Structures are given as structure tokens and as C-alpha cells.
Amino acid sequence: MNREQATFVGCAAVSLLAIALSFSLVLASCAFAQTPNATNPDQPATGTTIVPMAGFRLDVRPGAGGLRRNGNLVVVDSPVAQEEAWALQIQCPPIDATVAKEDAFCVSFDARALPPTDGNGTLHVSMAVNDPWDAIDEKNGFRTFDVPPTWHPFRVCFRAKQNYAAKRVYASIQCAAKAQRIEIRDLQLIAFGNVPEASLPFTKLLYPGENEDAWRAEAERSIERHRKRNLTVRVMDATGKPIPNARVRIQQQRQAYAFGTFVGDTPIQAGKDAEKFRQQTTRWFNRVTVPRYWADWGTDRPSGVVRADSIAQWASEEELELKTHVLLYPQFIPDRVKQLSNQPTRFREELESALDSALERTSEMPIAVWDGLNELRDVSLVGDVLGEDYYADVFQRGQNAQPNARWFINEYGLMTGGVKRDEFLQTYLQQIQSILDRGGPIEGIGLQCHFQSDLISMPDAWKVLNELSRFQLPIEITEFDVDTRDEATQAQFTRDFLTLVFAHPVTTGFTTWGFWEGDMWRPNGAMIRTDWSLKPNAAVWEEMIFDKWWTDQTIQTDNDGTAMARVFLGTHRVEAETQNVVRFQTIHVDSDDTVTLQIGVDHE
């Protein structure tokens, strides 16, 4: 699981002392109590504007560019990309009223990018408290948005994760992430109170290149070439003579490609929801990613170990391919071990004890894939204490213990990093090469893809996959979701991104980071709502994987008793019928193949 919002925590350095405005906000403590119609929670809620455009302060760091107010319009002039996007910042003073847990707010504005901006502009929007800086929304506290060259409405909602005192919570827009000129109009902060999520406004996703078809045609050709093979079926009678006009049906049983999902604790829970979850998992997926986090809240305590074992055991018994996440995740090393960073020997002993324990405990499990290292870019603790060579040792230790598993490295921001995407990609390429040069047996490359408002174009996504292909290693999308309430665009992007990844010849798997709203890191990214109703992206998943990319053909043999079909890689049931007699065989297709079915009849 990534923490992309943490990338910009540097805005904590912004002091709020300068925001001692003389005016008072028109706000009463009861202003947050707006609710939708109780009989229809999906009806849009009516909020209260608590900070109008005039109430927002323009903060400009010297030399960073300019922010200019013109009535209800703010013009952003960022001549160069800044390391800190908050070098140009539009910010309101801390709101006067107390904020209750679950109170919802919306930062509402329209924006457009102006020449000479290269492509789309970029804005970061947050609601937070200062000293120390902390986003008020636990699930999604810092958002990055592309800004198109035409006016686009942005309705960015946040929900308070706890109670806050008056004069603590503020909203801000950071504008210096890239060289750009942007106009922002009708900016306001709106309070809604504790209202249902479905009643809040939302921003329609910007999807660059959504109407371009050239890549789609190329993707279809690539799928035909790389994901399908020729299957020849020969049907003969009891004497070995070919049977013409025999009915042949080829039914796929399992995809060779890994279509997976992450599962949390739900599979080992009791109740109707858990039962539905288990059934849906086995129906939709052929692989599951199961958690095994060495963390204070994970396998550093006995209950966490047993929980991880139980989830993996359930998946194994369901004959789902098993992927384990993760052997080493520097972000979540237990605090007691982090505190030993000035004692390298003890630090290493604790680290290796945990790694060996995880490998030994799972040694009898049929694990197909391990994430060996996760999110190395964010936390350099292990390398700082034990040296960069140790990352290669992690992979070597894992492969020595479980040589039948494939060992992956995993990282975020390669598809979702916005203006930092290229920088993140270069860092990842360097890290992979460094580990390989040191003898680390990386056997696969993982890309997290937790999309929010920063959707990538399909040609750009193909370029990322091409760049990573230089290592000639399998590549997988390891963590996919699209966190939005714009369900129509969510479904279209899911269709296109899934198609593009499946089409790329080096990819071997595509894993969603959950599928049910009741067990999701970012619930809006789910394919199934809490009440088990299907969202539009669920229809896309079923259509693509179990219809478009699934073999179910009925054909007839020719005069030579032969029938030919183009089938998707994977396991198939091949059935031949003549004179009311049936013969069938189950085969696995991974190359052009021929299967012969002899039926116990005499053919004249």
C-alpha cells in the first residue's frame, strides 16, 4: 500500500503566523449541520460557504513567480518547477469553528491552463492542520489535479478523521509544481457537516487522450499476437479414421495471465458479507495478493502472524495462485527496530530474524510470487544503516529460501506521479539496476497504480512499460484502483488501462487493490459497492476477462477430421461429439498445440 499523499508533507514548513487576517469569517458552529433529504441520502447536500474567494491569502516565496488577484480570478505565474509546490500557495486562514469528526468540506473552484504551459497544468489541493502539518482526511488528504487548457470545474472534498479545535483547519492550493500559467476562478471553501458521501460534489476526471483510437487498434493486434495461440483438434473414430463434421467445443477454464486482487482480513471473517467476498474472489480472480507486513500492527505480534497465515491458507485451499506482500517494507519496520538504527549489528539481527521467520513460516505454502522490496524510494533506512548492498541480500535471501517463487520489487508513482512521474521512473530504473549489479536476483518488476485525479494517457503508459522492459523481466501492475466518484470515467479508464497492460508483451499480471467497497484502502476505487451492487467498472472487468479475453468456441471438423481455433493462453476443456458420443480432454495451452480425441464409434 502506498502513501502518495506523504510526498508533499514538506508543506508543513509553511507558517500560518502570517495569516492573521483582520476580518472574521461568517461562520457559526451550527453551519456544518447541513444535511441532504433524509429520505434520499443520494440527493445533493446543501453546504455553506465559509470562506469566499476574497478570504483566501496569496502566499509567494521570493523568486518563485507570482500570484495575482483580479476580482474573482487568481492568475498563477510559475516560471519554473519548484521542489516545493507550496512556493506559490493560495490559502485560507484557519476556520473559526470547531470541526467534528466526519465533517465534510469542499474546496470548490474552476481552473484552466494558459500558454506557455506545456500540456496540462498541475495543482495540489489539501485540507490540513499545521505544526506539525497533517492532512485532516486520513484516506485522501492531499490531491493532485491536472488542469486542462479549457475551464474545468474542481470540487475537491475532504472528511475530517478526528475532532479539531477552532482555528486549526485550513485549506490550500499549491501551484508551483511545474512551469505553468493557470487561472483560478470562483474559489470558495464550503462546509457540509456530516453528510453521506454520495451527496457530496465531486470532480469529473480528466482523461488525456480518451478519444484517441490509434493505440487501441495497436493494442488489439498485440493481444492477438502475444496472448493467443493456435489450437488444432483432431477427431478420429475407434479405428483411427478421421471423423468429419464432428462438433468441437473449446471452453476456457483458467487464464494463464494473472488477474488478481489484494485481500485483507475479510476472507477469514464470519457472516454473509465475508461469504459473498470469498465467493466473488474465487469467481473473478485466479490470483490473490495476501498481506504479511512486518510492522507494529502486523507480524511483529503473534496475532498478526496467525492472521497472515490464515488468509494465505484460505487462498491456497481455494486453489488461487498465491502472492505474498511483502518481505521487506522499510516504511513499516517496527518502531522498536527503527530505534536501533544507531546500532547496526542489533538492527541487522532483528531484521534478519524477521525475514528468516517469514520465509520459514511460509516455506510449505505454494507461493508463486513474493514482493521482496516495497517502496524503496520513500525510506532509505535499511540502506543507511546496513549499506546499499543489503537490498541485493534481501532478494538473495528470499530466493535461497524459496527458489520456486518469483521475486519482485514494487514501487509507486511510475504511472501516477504526475509531474514527478519521469523523475520517479528514473529513480526506479537506477534502483533496479543497482540491485541487479550487486547480484540481487530480482525476477519481476511491480508497478503500483493507485490513480486519483492524475490519470495517464495510454501512449504515456506504454512508454513507461517500454522503459522498464530494458531489464527483460516480467512486469506486473500490482496495485490498481481509481479513487473517484466519477464512475463513468472510472470505468472507461479501467477498460483502456487494462487493455493496454494486457496488450504489452512483457506484462504477466494485473492486480486490483481490492474490489469490494467494504474492504478497500480507498473505497471509491471499488468495483462492488458495500451493498454488493455492481459499479460500471465491475461490468468492464467481467466483460474483458470473461468474455472478450475468454475462449468459448464451437466449431466443426473438416473432411480430415480437423478443427482449428485461435485460443487465449491458459487451461481449456476440449470436447468432441459425434453420433451422440462425447470425448473430452483438459489441456493447458502455452504455445501452438494439437490435441487428438478418439471417440469409440465406427465411422462409415
Side-chain angles (χ1 to χ4, degrees):
M1 182 182 301
N2 75 54
R3 295 290 186 269
E4 293 190 34
Q5 60 267 41
T7 304
F8 303 101
V9 169
C11 63
V14 179
S15 171
L16 292 179
L17 295 178
I19 311 179
L21 299 182
S22 59
F23 68 92
S24 297
L25 301 175
V26 181
L27 174 67
S29 60
C30 62
F32 297 169
Q34 304 296 320
T35 59
N37 187 323
T39 62
N40 184 9
D42 291 339
Q43 177 183 330
T46 302
T48 300
T49 298
I50 58 175
V51 184
M53 177 65 125
F56 281 80
R57 179 186 178 92
L58 309 183
D59 290 327
V60 179
R61 192 172 66 181
L67 295 172
R68 177 168 51 86
R69 193 191 307 269
N70 182 12
N72 202 38
L73 188 75
V74 171
V75 180
V76 177
D77 183 10
S78 175
V80 296
Q82 299 287 330
E83 184 67 24
E84 297 89 5
W86 45 264
L88 295 173
Q89 185 163 229
I90 305 170
Q91 188 178 82
C92 76
I95 59 180
D96 281 346
T98 59
V99 173
K101 182 178 180 180
E102 301 299 328
D103 276 349
F105 300 86
C106 177
V107 182
S108 176
F109 61 94
D110 298 343
R112 67 177 178 180
L114 303 175
T117 306
D118 182 15
N120 291 331
T122 296
L123 295 174
H124 304 318
V125 184
S126 70
M127 285 195 71
V129 297
N130 202 34
D131 193 25
W133 188 93
D134 184 36
I136 70 164
D137 192 319
E138 185 171 34
K139 296 176 181 175
N140 207 350
F142 200 104
R143 325 283 176 81
T144 299
F145 293 91
D146 288 335
V147 180
T150 55
W151 285 110
H152 188 78
F154 293 86
R155 308 293 182 257
V156 191
C157 292
F158 302 88
R159 193 178 293 276
K161 62 188 176 185
Q162 64 186 58
N163 296 330
Y164 294 97
K167 297 186 180 297
R168 287 281 289 157
V169 174
Y170 67 97
S172 62
I173 304 176
Q174 291 81 40
C175 309
K178 67 176 290 185
Q180 60 188 359
R181 289 187 72 235
I182 292 176
E183 286 184 337
I184 297 172
R185 70 184 182 190
D186 299 334
L187 174 62
Q188 56 186 317
L189 177 62
I190 304 171
F192 286 94
N194 186 355
V195 298
E197 191 76 13
S199 71
L200 292 172
F202 63 87
T203 301
K204 187 181 187 307
L205 288 178
L206 285 168
Y207 178 11
E210 61 183 317
N211 296 319
E212 296 176 3
D213 289 329
W215 74 266
R216 292 185 175 94
E218 182 59 35
E220 293 301 329
R221 287 191 289 269
S222 184
I223 290 171
E224 182 68 26
R225 177 182 177 186
H226 297 289
R227 303 301 174 197
K228 300 174 79 173
R229 293 293 182 268
N230 293 322
L231 178 62
T232 301
V233 182
R234 298 175 61 238
V235 183
M236 61 181 62
D237 66 13
T239 66
K241 293 181 180 180
I243 302 178
N245 300 318
R247 175 183 173 275
V248 174
R249 186 174 186 187
I250 305 169
Q251 294 176 291
Q252 188 148 13
Q253 308 296 301
R254 190 181 183 94
Q255 283 271 12
Y257 200 86
F259 291 108
T261 187
F262 176 83
V263 296
D265 293 351
T266 303
I268 59 172
Q269 294 174 358
K272 293 182 179 179
D273 282 337
E275 179 59 29
K276 288 182 179 180
F277 186 95
R278 289 189 288 267
Q279 292 173 355
Q280 192 67 36
T281 302
T282 56
R283 191 170 78 84
W284 262 5
F285 306 101
N286 57 27
R287 177 197 282 177
V288 291
T289 297
V290 297
R292 190 171 291 270
Y293 293 97
W294 180 44
D296 291 313
W297 41 266
T299 59
D300 199 47
R301 52 186 183 181
S303 60
V305 174
V306 173
R307 184 167 61 249
D309 289 350
S310 300
I311 299 169
Q313 180 182 1
W314 164 78
S316 299
E317 291 179 352
E318 293 292 345
E319 297 184 349
L320 292 162
E321 186 175 86
L322 194 60
K323 179 182 178 184
T324 302
H325 179 82
V326 52
L327 187 60
L328 181 58
Y329 191 173
Q331 176 98 341
F332 290 119
I333 290 175
D335 288 341
R336 64 176 182 83
V337 180
K338 291 179 181 178
Q339 294 169 3
L340 301 174
S341 60
N342 60 347
Q343 303 176 57
T345 300
R346 288 193 60 197
F347 182 92
R348 182 169 186 148
E349 289 173 350
E350 291 287 347
L351 182 63
E352 294 185 348
S353 175
L355 300 184
D356 290 343
S357 177
L359 292 167
E360 180 179 357
R361 193 165 186 100
T362 59
S363 61
E364 299 302 317
M365 296 180 183
I367 298 175
V369 180
W370 263 96
D371 283 329
L373 270 175
N374 193 52
E375 295 180 12
L376 186 58
R377 186 182 70 241
D378 274 355
V379 179
S380 61
L381 175 65
V382 175
D384 292 341
V385 176
L386 301 179
E388 296 292 322
D389 288 353
Y390 196 78
Y391 298 127
D393 293 345
V394 171
F395 281 96
Q396 192 64 63
R397 183 178 294 266
Q399 190 188 63
N400 289 343
Q402 296 187 19
N404 292 329
R406 284 181 292 139
W407 287 88
F408 271 63
I409 189 169
N410 196 40
E411 190 55 89
Y412 77 94
L414 292 308
M415 296 285 190
T416 59
V419 294
K420 287 185 171 289
R421 190 171 65 226
D422 290 341
E423 175 189 330
F424 291 164
L425 176 59
Q426 292 307 312
T427 299
Y428 199 30
L429 292 169
Q430 293 166 10
Q431 289 173 339
I432 294 169
Q433 189 63 61
S434 176
I435 293 172
L436 291 171
D437 289 345
R438 289 176 165 89
I442 296 176
E443 296 173 312
I445 299 170
L447 283 75
Q448 298 180 24
C449 293
H450 294 289
F451 291 99
Q452 294 177 279
S453 56
D454 51 348
L455 301 184
I456 191 171
S457 73
M458 295 304 107
D460 284 344
W462 190 269
K463 290 177 184 177
V464 173
L465 295 174
N466 280 347
E467 283 286 325
L468 290 167
S469 298
R470 68 177 63 174
F471 299 108
Q472 297 183 326
L473 292 171
I475 297 174
E476 294 190 357
I477 303 305
T478 55
E479 306 180 23
F480 173 81
D481 51 37
V482 184
D483 180 23
T484 182
R485 287 177 51 222
D486 179 2
E487 294 184 357
T489 309
Q490 180 186 56
Q492 181 179 347
F493 181 80
T494 297
R495 178 191 300 276
D496 284 348
F497 191 68
L498 184 60
T499 298
L500 178 119
V501 173
F502 188 59
H504 201 286
V506 301
T507 68
T508 56
F510 190 107
T511 293
T512 67
W513 205 242
F515 63 90
W516 179 52
E517 190 177 15
D519 187 11
M520 287 282 293
W521 174 40
R522 290 176 172 170
N524 287 333
M527 292 189 283
I528 300 179
R529 301 182 183 91
T530 304
D531 65 2
W532 294 96
S533 60
L534 300 183
K535 293 170 56 177
N537 55 342
V540 166
W541 186 265
E542 289 197 328
E543 175 194 346
M544 303 305 285
I545 296 171
F546 299 110
D547 184 5
K548 189 170 184 179
W549 301 335
W550 191 261
T551 303
D552 190 349
Q553 294 187 48
T554 300
I555 50 183
Q556 281 189 320
T557 57
D558 58 18
N559 290 335
D560 295 327
T562 300
M564 298 185 64
R566 188 80 172 156
V567 303
F568 284 96
L569 299 174
T571 303
H572 298 75
R573 184 182 188 272
V574 183
E575 177 184 290
E577 177 184 345
T578 187
Q579 298 181 23
N580 294 321
V581 180
V582 174
R583 180 72 182 271
F584 65 86
Q585 183 175 334
T586 299
I587 64 169
H588 184 78
V589 177
D590 56 12
S591 61
D592 290 349
D593 203 353
T594 299
V595 58
T596 300
L597 298 179
Q598 189 172 22
I599 300 180
V601 298
D602 293 322
H603 178 65
E604 297 298 334

